[in-house]
């Protein structure tokens, strides 16, 4: 398991939540970290695997002016499974 996966799985275990938001340079991705349940060797190396993922293009998702930002969930796409390359992850947050 790669370092970023190890870090994410450790945070998931400590927070008792597998719900996550991941940002790449162009995407906001919400989903649930795949729980490998002892089969972590089956998880693709170099990838973070999510279930029930919702992918939004940041440019289409939010628009901001000087005072506030508004975001549009309609511009998003849903996937049962999604693999994200570690090299594309800019930031992430495990959510409760």
């Amino acid at each position: 398991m790669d370092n970023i996966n190890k870090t994410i799985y450790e945070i998931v275990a400590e927070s008792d939540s597998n719900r996550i938001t991941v940002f790449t340079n162009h995407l906001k991705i919400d989903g649930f970290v795949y729980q490998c349940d002892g089969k972590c060797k089956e998880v693709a190396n170099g990838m973070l695997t999510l279930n029930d993922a919702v992918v939004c293009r940041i440019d289409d998702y939010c628009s901001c002016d000087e005072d506030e930002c508004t975001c549009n969930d309609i511009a998003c796409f849903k996937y049962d499974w999604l693999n994200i390359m570690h090299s594309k992850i800019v930031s992430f947050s495990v959510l409760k």
Side-chain angles (χ1 to χ4, degrees):
M1 188 179 319
D2 290 356
N3 285 340
I4 196 162
N5 265 7
K6 183 178 178 191
T7 300
I8 290 171
Y9 277 102
E10 287 174 356
I11 294 170
V12 163
E14 288 178 20
S15 68
D16 199 30
S17 172
N18 68 330
R19 194 169 139 230
I20 192 169
T21 295
V22 175
F23 289 94
T24 70
N25 284 330
H26 303 286
L27 303 173
K28 175 188 176 279
I29 305 164
D30 293 309
F32 296 89
V33 176
Y34 172 66
Q35 298 297 298
C36 57
D37 297 323
K39 301 175 188 172
C40 294
K41 290 184 180 183
E42 295 176 11
V43 174
N45 218 9
M47 302 266 186
L48 174 63
T49 302
L50 302 183
N51 301 103
D52 300 322
V54 177
V55 179
C56 307
R57 284 192 46 190
I58 292 173
D59 290 342
D60 297 338
Y61 182 64
C62 294
S63 60
C64 300
D65 59 26
E66 292 177 12
D67 297 324
E68 64 181 49
C69 292
T70 57
C71 298
N72 179 7
D73 286 329
I74 295 173
C76 302
F77 299 92
K78 295 180 181 182
Y79 299 93
D80 294 333
W81 291 91
L82 183 71
N83 288 309
I84 306 165
M85 294 178 61
H86 291 166
S87 62
K88 301 299 181 188
I89 296 173
V90 173
S91 65
F92 69 89
S93 180
V94 175
L95 309 169
K96 291 222 176 209

